[in-house]
Amino acid sequence: MKFVHSIFLKIALSMGIVMYMAYAIPTRQYTNLYLIGISVFTALFLPIFTIVSTYLEQQTFRLTASMFASKFAKFVWQSLYNLFALGLLVKGHVIDTTNLRMVGGLVGAICLTSLASQGLQYLAIMLSNHGKGNRFANVFLALSFNVIISALAAIGYKKIQVIFIILGLVLGIIGIFISLVTDIWGIVPSKGGVGLFLGTFNPVHKSHIAILKKFIDERHLDKVYIHPTIIPKMHQYLLDKGMIEIVKEDAGKRYYEKSALADPLVNSFPTGKVFYEAENRLFMLKTAIKEAGLENKVEILFDTKRYQEDGFYAIIKAIRKKHPHTQLHGLLGTDEGGMLLHDIYDETRVKPYVVLRRDNISGTAIRRGEKGMTTPKVTEVLNFLSDVKEGQSGMLFGKTAHVVNNRLEVIDE
């Protein structure tokens, strides 16, 4: 029964209705079996379509380190669906192909519809990232608008077709081709400036330090600012809505699970469901940077107020204000968090530095108990958090340390 209450399912059913009405009302073909069939198919298939679309986008980025390639893969998948849907509507005489000449025929209509969809979804998600509207509601409104305007254009309304062409091209540039520009910009040799390394660091591991050193050396950076995630924005939103909950706090980590209110079709944990407390991740970051001898090049920030206001957008804005005439470079990996960061860097004009990682070192593996992936000092911290219970004390790096409220406190004696 939970699936009945899924926001994805509601959006899918609503999109089926929107598609049916967008074509049926102007053409008065309320009983057209092709239109009814494709509308029902859209309502049933949309959740699967979205899952496949997201998977293709993420896997392409993971394999190629190219945002353009990942968005192009999503565009191809969406175009295949539009070919199927519009093709059936042509076969069912809902759409007359002679009305599609201005938009480039059936192929042109498919491409413009897919381009517009990509751009509108990008804008919808960007607005939700800034706290303007709900992510799912924004995407639904964007897709509904795209269905309606593409339907009116396909039916043959000339003025709408002009708007449709302009909209498709402009939104295609926003949704896809800006990524091509930033991909190229990111690989063009550039030296000097200030670096950003933003992420969860859950926990910081050997690969983080290795790619950080490479980042500094290859870009000849004067300085790098590191800022860990406090609480991921999506987690905070879902916690506030009661859709996820903290089920356990132990060994310096918090464990999330979906609540009874959670949407069964929404991926509530895109960056994982086990997180070291932010203060613990911060301590390990400081430890790793000192251990690597990078204190003269790296400054670790932990601006909770700004982060809570507007996430990494606010952190980047503050750094840019501090270095107004300096090129900012953004280090990121090819996981899902890296994809999210790439979009933020694109919006804030930060030159991306994408690392295509091939090793098996990951925070996920470390949290599952894998050994040898963290530096010696960070390993000591992880062991301390694992061995010392809440409220107890011990020695860490020759100093007295406590675990209070699941957080490490080290006393400088």
Side-chain angles (χ1 to χ4, degrees):
M1 287 298 294
K2 282 186 176 182
F3 285 92
V4 176
H5 302 290
S6 169
I7 186 72
F8 266 5
L9 187 59
K10 290 176 182 177
I11 288 175
L13 293 173
S14 299
M15 286 303 302
I17 294 170
V18 169
M19 172 171 275
Y20 173 75
M21 299 300 287
Y23 285 97
I25 292 175
T27 64
R28 300 186 182 277
Q29 297 195 50
Y30 297 103
T31 59
N32 187 294
L33 294 180
Y34 281 90
L35 177 56
I36 294 170
I38 196 62
S39 299
V40 171
F41 178 80
T42 297
L44 297 175
F45 182 66
L46 189 60
I48 299 171
F49 172 86
T50 303
I51 292 169
V52 174
S53 180
T54 301
Y55 175 80
L56 286 173
E57 188 177 21
Q58 292 172 356
Q59 289 302 310
T60 304
F61 185 64
R62 192 180 298 275
L63 294 171
T64 66
S66 166
M67 279 296 285
F68 173 74
S70 67
K71 291 185 177 182
F72 186 74
K74 186 177 179 181
F75 167 80
V76 171
W77 170 244
Q78 189 155 12
S79 294
L80 289 173
Y81 165 75
N82 287 330
L83 173 63
F84 171 75
L86 294 180
L88 283 181
L89 292 177
V90 168
K91 188 174 181 180
H93 304 292
V94 179
I95 297 174
D96 185 345
T97 54
T98 59
N99 292 327
L100 298 177
R101 289 171 184 168
M102 182 181 286
V103 298
L106 181 60
V107 173
I110 291 167
C111 290
L112 287 170
T113 301
S114 300
L115 288 171
S117 177
Q118 293 265 316
L120 285 167
Q121 288 180 71
Y122 176 83
L123 292 175
I125 292 169
M126 181 186 74
L127 288 171
S128 67
N129 287 343
H130 285 285
K132 294 177 174 62
N134 175 280
R135 181 186 183 97
F136 304 108
N138 286 1
V139 170
F140 168 66
L141 290 173
L143 291 175
S144 296
F145 174 75
N146 190 47
V147 167
I148 292 168
I149 196 168
S150 61
L152 294 175
I155 291 167
Y157 288 89
K158 300 300 181 185
K159 291 182 180 179
I160 297 295
Q161 287 183 339
V162 173
I163 297 172
F164 181 55
I165 293 168
I166 296 171
L167 199 64
L169 294 175
V170 170
L171 291 172
I173 290 170
I174 293 171
I176 299 180
F177 291 103
I178 283 179
S179 296
L180 176 60
V181 174
T182 56
D183 276 355
I184 295 170
W185 185 36
I187 61 176
V188 170
S190 177
K191 295 182 178 180
V194 170
L196 308 176
F197 195 8
L198 313 175
T200 56
F201 303 102
N202 186 33
V204 60
H205 48 66
K206 288 179 178 179
S207 286
H208 285 136
I209 301 304
I211 63 178
L212 175 59
K213 288 179 177 178
K214 185 179 178 184
F215 181 43
I216 293 170
D217 291 342
E218 290 193 1
R219 291 284 169 95
H220 296 266
L221 299 174
D222 303 315
K223 188 173 191 173
V224 174
Y225 289 98
I226 295 181
H227 196 300
T229 305
I230 311 297
I231 297 177
K233 299 288 282 185
M234 186 175 184
H235 284 189
Q236 189 62 64
Y237 172 79
L238 294 174
L239 277 171
D240 292 342
K241 295 294 183 181
M243 294 180 183
I244 64 171
E245 55 192 358
I246 302 170
V247 295
K248 185 171 72 169
E249 293 179 285
D250 180 58
K253 300 186 286 269
R254 59 170 59 180
Y255 296 76
Y256 294 99
E257 288 293 347
K258 287 185 174 184
S259 73
L261 299 176
D263 191 315
L265 295 178
V266 172
N267 179 12
S268 302
F269 308 107
T271 53
K273 59 170 66 176
V274 180
F275 270 75
Y276 281 93
E277 299 289 356
E279 293 83 357
N280 297 337
R281 288 183 279 119
L282 175 66
F283 182 84
M284 286 186 275
L285 261 174
K286 290 179 177 178
T287 299
I289 295 303
K290 184 176 181 181
E291 187 178 10
L294 294 173
E295 289 174 295
N296 64 325
K297 280 283 189 180
V298 174
E299 181 176 343
I300 299 174
L301 305 176
F302 195 68
D303 193 333
T304 56
K305 183 179 179 181
R306 281 198 175 95
Y307 184 86
Q308 287 168 355
E309 286 174 357
D310 201 12
F312 284 139
Y313 292 100
I315 303 303
I316 293 170
K317 184 178 179 180
I319 294 171
R320 192 178 292 283
K321 188 175 181 180
K322 196 172 182 179
H323 302 275
H325 305 296
T326 305
Q327 176 64 63
L328 298 184
H329 304 256
L331 174 59
L332 63 146
T334 52
D335 55 2
E336 187 167 346
M339 283 188 65
L340 298 173
L341 265 180
H342 206 304
D343 282 338
I344 293 173
Y345 289 157
D346 288 354
E347 289 175 45
T348 53
R349 305 182 313 282
V350 174
K351 186 178 175 71
Y353 180 89
V354 186
V355 178
L356 184 61
R357 286 178 48 199
R358 297 298 190 189
D359 59 40
N360 294 318
I361 296 175
S362 71
T364 302
I366 295 166
R367 296 190 300 276
R368 288 174 179 165
E370 291 290 336
K371 304 297 182 183
M373 295 185 177
T374 53
T375 60
K377 293 282 187 183
V378 172
T379 301
E380 284 188 54
V381 177
L382 292 173
N383 290 338
F384 185 92
L385 288 170
S386 179
D387 297 338
V388 178
K389 303 302 180 183
E390 175 69 29
Q392 294 183 348
S393 302
M395 299 300 293
L396 181 65
F397 307 146
K399 298 176 182 178
T400 302
H402 312 280
V403 176
V404 181
N405 295 325
N406 207 36
R407 291 160 175 83
L408 180 66
E409 292 184 0
V410 179
I411 300 174
D412 274 322
E413 299 174 325

